[in-house]
Amino acid sequence: MELKKILSQVKNSETDLEEAENRIRSMGYVQISDIARLDTFRKNRTGIMEAILAEGKVAEDIAEIAKKQIESTGRVLITRLDGNKSAFLERSFGADNIEFCKNSITAVVHNGTPAPRTGGRVAIISAGTADIPVAEEARMTASEMGCDTLTIYDVGVAGFQRLVSQLQNIEDYNPDAIVVAAGREGTLPTVVSGLVGAPVIGLPVSIGYGAGAKGEAALLSMLQSCSVLSVVNIDAGFVAGAFAARIANKIAEARNTAPAKGC
């Protein structure tokens, strides 16, 4: 934890009290003119990094917030981008410093600082191809929180054999947590939870029409699941990825600190 590092440096006379005070104060938040108060210490406090929701923000403000976050942590996750905002960020930071998900809806901007690795393992599964953008938001979130990820897309229950053919891959990967994204009737998380031992997070997606449109049927179906799973809000890819990563990181920490078994 950064706070312990600073206190240790003071103790060892590697930094003075004034510098330590300034660094500790900066852990609270960074004021960005009159548009934002960036919580740069959130990851140290909760394990979940500060992210930027692009929806409702102009491109220039997104870039300014991202710049300040990168100055503090080296990387920043940005969600709910559109084509114009994605293009503006690429021009602002350069193609080498930005990583887009499929469809460029979610991105990570960085200064070359690599994402941390914790040893946590998260699987991301989607029912259909249309669910991939939300699933990718969950994947990139889990990855930015230090987890390795496995993606298995377009294995919905309308063609159940597609999921069955992937069960061995899931078992071999041995995920600590699984995010399952599904729209329409939202059945897939229930099925996956009934077949695997890892905790499952249902991610309803706003794909579907008519009665129960905009993800409402998927959400209610997951909440009524007869197998055990947790459910996040409609299209809440960031929340699903972060929740899965918190589980995975706790399990990885226990794996890494467990005493070695004797002969």
Side-chain angles (χ1 to χ4, degrees):
M1 189 174 182
E2 182 66 18
L3 181 58
K4 289 183 178 179
K5 180 180 178 181
I6 294 171
L7 294 175
S8 177
Q9 288 174 339
V10 173
K11 179 182 178 181
N12 296 328
S13 300
E14 296 171 1
T15 189
D16 58 33
L17 287 175
E18 184 177 356
E19 172 64 19
E21 181 182 13
N22 290 335
R23 288 171 62 187
I24 290 171
R25 286 184 184 279
S26 70
M27 290 178 179
Y29 65 87
V30 174
Q31 178 92 28
I32 304 173
S33 67
D34 60 347
I35 63 170
R37 292 176 173 85
L38 195 60
D39 188 357
T40 56
F41 198 56
R42 180 176 298 173
K43 185 174 182 180
N44 301 80
R45 190 174 66 250
T46 69
I48 300 174
M49 70 286 178
E50 174 81 287
I52 301 172
L53 175 66
E55 200 171 83
K57 297 182 179 72
V58 300
E60 291 80 4
D61 288 347
I62 295 168
E64 183 63 22
I65 296 168
K67 180 181 177 182
K68 292 296 184 182
Q69 179 70 29
I70 292 166
E71 287 175 1
S72 176
T73 62
R75 301 177 67 88
V76 62
L77 178 74
I78 308 174
T79 66
R80 307 298 174 91
L81 288 161
D82 60 29
N84 291 333
K85 291 172 183 176
S86 294
F88 184 88
L89 288 174
E90 192 164 14
R91 291 194 301 272
S92 299
F93 294 97
D96 292 339
N97 296 318
I98 188 165
E99 303 165 14
F100 289 107
C101 76
K102 294 177 175 66
N103 298 0
S104 300
I105 292 173
T106 305
V108 172
V109 186
H110 58 83
N111 60 6
T113 301
R117 293 294 94 190
T118 63
R121 296 188 295 268
V122 174
I124 313 290
I125 301 173
S126 85
T129 303
D131 305 317
I132 290 177
V134 177
E136 281 286 286
E137 183 178 311
R139 179 192 66 79
M140 292 191 78
T141 302
S143 179
E144 284 303 296
M145 288 178 61
C147 295
D148 297 322
T149 60
L150 169 73
T151 57
I152 298 174
Y153 291 158
D154 196 26
V155 290
V157 297
F160 186 65
Q161 74 280 7
R162 297 176 298 175
L163 175 62
V164 172
S165 70
Q166 295 297 319
L167 289 178
Q168 189 62 53
N169 289 342
I170 298 171
E171 183 177 342
D172 292 344
Y173 186 66
N174 191 22
D176 302 312
I178 302 174
V179 174
V180 184
R184 297 183 66 88
E185 85 289 1
T187 306
L188 188 61
T190 293
V191 174
V192 172
S193 182
L195 293 172
V196 302
V200 171
I201 296 99
L203 172 54
V205 180
S206 56
I207 298 297
Y209 47 84
K214 298 181 180 179
E216 292 181 8
L219 173 62
L220 293 176
S221 177
M222 293 179 198
L223 289 173
Q224 294 282 4
S225 175
C226 59
S227 60
V228 177
L229 65 142
S230 294
V231 185
V232 299
N233 208 345
I234 298 168
D235 289 340
F238 175 82
V239 178
F243 187 44
R246 289 184 95 174
I247 295 170
N249 287 340
K250 285 293 184 183
I251 293 173
E253 183 181 357
R255 269 198 303 266
N256 295 336
T257 58
K261 294 182 179 179
C263 299

